[in-house]
Amino acid sequence: MASNKKLLVLPGDGIGPEVVRETLRVVDWMAKKRSVSFDVQEGLVGGAAYDASGTPLTDETLADAVDADAVLFGAVGGPKYDDLPFEKKPERGLLRLRKEMDLFANLRPAMVFASMADNSSLKRDLVAGLDIMILRELTGGVYFCEPRGIEDLPGGGKRGFDTQAYSTPEIERIGRVAFDLARKRRNKVTSVEKANVMMSGVLWRQVMTDLHKREGEGLEYENMYADNCAMQLVRNPKQFDVIVTDNLFGDILSDCAAMLTGSLGMLPSASLGAEDPTTGRRHALYEPVHGSAPDIAGRGIANPIAELLSFAMLLRYSFDMGEDADLVEKAIDNVLSSGLRTADIMQEGKAKVSTGVMTDSILKELDKLVSG
Ligand SMILES: NC(=O)c1ccc[n+]([C@@H]2O[C@H](COP(=O)([O-])OP(=O)(O)OC[C@H]3O[C@@H](n4cnc5c(N)ncnc54)[C@H](O)[C@@H]3O)[C@@H](O)[C@H]2O)c1
Ligand SMILES: CC(C)[C@H](C(=O)O)[C@@H](O)C(=O)O
Ligand SMILES: [Mg+2]
C-alpha cells in the first residue's frame, strides 16, 4: 500500500474550483476507505493566480508542480480576462505548465458509458460501447513555435502570424506512445495530419509511417487527413482505436469526440511526460478536456464527471492504482445507469441533479462497491 503521494491541486477559474471541490471529496474517500494517504497541496493558476499576483502561473507554483507526484487541474479562463495582454492571459498559465513540465503526451479517452448511448449527438448504434483514445501531442506545433506575432504592414493594417513546426524526435516520441497504447487496446493506430497542405504534415506522415514499419509490428496503421478524421468521427467513430495527432488538431478533434459521449463535461485527460529511466518517475497533470464554462459557473450545475474521471486516470497512470481507478469509473457508470443526470446530459425520464448531488451519489455508490 503506497502512502504520502504528493498531489498538487490547481482549481483555476469558473467551474474549475466547482468540479475540483467535488473531486477532493473522492480523494478524501480514498484516504479513508482505501488507506492511501495523499499529501494534498493547493495552488493558484490562471485568472485566480493573475488576480493574486499579476501572473497566470508563479515560478513557485511551477516548482510545486514539478515537485509533485501528480497535478490535478481544474480549468482556466473567462471573459473577465479577455482584455489582458497575451502573455498574462489565464490560458498562458496552463500552457507554461505543459511546456515546462514537458507533458508531451495528452491522452483524451472518449468512452460511452452503458446508459449514455442515448445522450450522444449520434444515433445509439453508432456509439454504444464506444471506447476510443485521442492522443494529442501537447508541447509542440503552432501552440509553441516561434516566430509568432502581429506586425504592422507598410501600407497600413496589420498581419498576425504563427508558426507550425514538428521535428522527427517530437513525432517519434508521440508515435511510440501511440503504439504502446494501441498494444494495450485494440492494436490500431490512425495518424492524423494535413500532409496535403502543410509541410509539417508531410514530415509527420513520413516519420510516423517509417516508425510503424520499424517499431509497429502487429499493429494496424493508417494515415488520415484531419478534415476527413473530423467527418469520420461523426460518421462511424467505432472504426478508431488510437488516433494520434498534433497539438491543434488534437484540441479540436477531442472536443468533437466529447459530443459522442454526451457532453464535454464527460471527457477526462492525462498529460504525461517522459519516464525517467533511473527513477521511473514522470511528470503528470490531469485535467478535464472542458474549460471554465463561464456560462454556467457559480450555479452548482456543472458536470463533475470529467474531473472525476481525470482523477481516475491519475490513480491509474501516476500511482499504479488501477483497481481504485476502476472503482471510481464503476461508481460513475452505476450512478449514470440509475438515471441521475446533471443539466448538460439531462434527458426525458431522467432525474436532474446538481454538481454536489451527483458527487454525493457517486460517493454512496463507492461505499456500496467496497462493502460488497
Ligand atoms: N483546460 C482548460 O483550462 C480550458 C479548456 C478549454 C477552454 N478553456 C477556457 O475556458 C473559457 C471558456 O471556454 P469555452 O466556453 O470555449 O469552452 P468550455 O469548455 O468552457 O465550455 C463550452 C461549453 O460546454 C459547457 N461545459 C463545459 N464543461 C462543462 C461541464 N463540466 N458541465 C457542463 N457543461 C460544461 C459550457 O457550459 C459551454 O456551454 C475560455 O477562457 C477558454 O480559453 C480552458
Ligand atoms: C485553454 C486552452 C489553452 C486549451 C488548449 O487549447 O489546449 C484547451 O482548449 C484544452 O483543450 O486543453
Ligand atoms: Mg480544447
Side-chain angles (χ1 to χ4, degrees):
M1 199 170 301
S3 62
N4 286 332
K5 298 165 184 314
K6 265 197 221 172
L7 194 62
L8 177 67
V9 177
L10 300 175
D13 311 318
I15 64 165
E18 299 174 35
V19 294
V20 164
R21 190 186 315 127
E22 302 306 318
T23 306
L24 287 176
R25 297 173 65 198
V26 178
V27 175
D28 281 349
W29 182 92
M30 282 282 160
K32 282 195 199 107
K33 300 287 170 79
R34 306 291 283 177
S35 312
V36 188
S37 80
F38 293 101
D39 179 359
V40 179
Q41 190 191 337
E42 223 173 282
L44 297 175
V45 71
Y50 176 81
D51 289 341
S53 57
T55 170
L57 180 74
T58 63
D59 293 344
E60 291 73 25
T61 307
L62 174 62
D64 289 341
V66 168
D67 185 48
D69 292 313
V71 178
L72 181 71
F73 190 97
V76 290
K80 179 179 168 194
Y81 306 103
D82 278 353
D83 296 331
L84 287 181
F86 190 67
E87 289 305 327
K88 299 277 184 194
K89 284 192 184 292
E91 291 81 355
R92 303 304 305 171
L94 173 59
L95 293 170
R96 185 173 172 217
L97 275 168
R98 289 174 179 169
K99 187 70 176 175
E100 301 228 10
M101 293 169 76
D102 199 21
L103 304 171
F104 71 96
N106 182 217
L107 282 57
R108 298 190 159 194
M111 277 170 50
V112 174
F113 284 94
S115 64
M116 290 286 292
D118 290 322
N119 279 84
S120 174
S121 296
L122 299 188
K123 290 190 192 106
R124 120 176 304 276
D125 287 352
L126 288 176
V127 295
L130 183 77
D131 172 11
I132 62 177
M133 176 69 81
I134 296 184
L135 176 64
R136 169 185 179 194
E137 199 292 327
L138 200 62
T139 50
V142 72
Y143 272 64
F144 294 102
C145 289
E146 298 288 343
R148 59 164 68 190
I150 299 178
E151 62 188 11
D152 291 323
L153 290 173
K158 292 177 190 293
R159 175 177 169 266
F161 57 98
D162 296 277
T163 302
Q164 162 87 344
Y166 270 104
S167 66
T168 302
E170 283 179 301
I171 301 165
E172 285 185 341
R173 74 172 178 169
I174 195 71
R176 290 194 175 101
V177 178
F179 293 173
D180 286 349
L181 284 169
R183 287 204 166 90
K184 293 180 192 130
R185 297 168 50 90
R186 297 186 303 279
N187 294 309
K188 181 172 177 190
V189 173
T190 305
S191 171
V192 172
E193 28 57 20
K194 270 188 75 79
N196 50 351
V197 174
M198 298 160 76
M199 291 312 295
S200 58
V202 170
L203 184 72
W204 183 287
R205 184 172 284 218
Q206 266 169 16
V207 170
M208 279 298 303
T209 306
D210 289 351
L211 189 71
H212 173 248
K213 282 188 194 133
R214 290 197 317 272
E215 300 179 23
E217 204 191 324
L219 294 176
E220 190 186 338
Y221 176 84
E222 66 183 343
N223 294 304
M224 191 178 277
Y225 295 132
D227 47 351
N228 183 25
C229 182
M231 184 276 283
Q232 296 293 343
L233 269 174
V234 293
R235 188 186 75 86
N236 174 22
K238 286 188 195 165
Q239 69 184 282
F240 296 111
D241 178 13
V242 175
I243 293 175
V244 57
T245 190
D246 76 11
N247 208 339
L248 184 60
F249 293 142
D251 179 45
I252 295 166
L253 294 174
S254 56
D255 262 36
C256 179
M259 285 319 294
L260 307 175
T261 74
S263 165
L264 197 46
M266 297 292 297
L267 225 71
S269 87
S271 306
L272 308 175
E275 203 171 281
D276 181 320
T278 44
T279 61
R281 224 177 151 251
R282 68 176 165 203
H283 297 313
L285 180 149
Y286 299 84
E287 56 166 327
V289 169
H290 66 71
S292 59
D295 54 338
I296 58 163
R299 291 166 53 197
I301 60 169
N303 187 343
I305 292 178
E307 186 78 48
L308 292 168
L309 290 172
S310 301
F311 177 61
M313 292 185 87
L314 179 154
L315 295 173
R316 182 173 290 122
Y317 289 103
S318 281
F319 297 148
D320 205 18
M321 292 169 62
E323 260 181 46
D324 299 85
D326 290 348
L327 208 58
V328 173
E329 288 167 0
K330 182 73 190 146
I332 291 170
D333 195 5
N334 290 354
V335 167
L336 291 169
S337 291
S338 77
L340 297 197
R341 296 285 187 274
T342 43
D344 56 314
I345 49 175
M346 183 55 192
Q347 277 190 317
E348 216 183 308
K350 306 290 181 192
K352 195 185 309 185
V353 294
S354 65
T355 314
V357 171
M358 177 57 89
T359 318
D360 293 345
S361 311
I362 291 167
L363 287 166
K364 275 189 209 137
E365 194 57 35
L366 279 169
D367 276 336
K368 263 200 247 165
L369 287 171
V370 294
S371 63

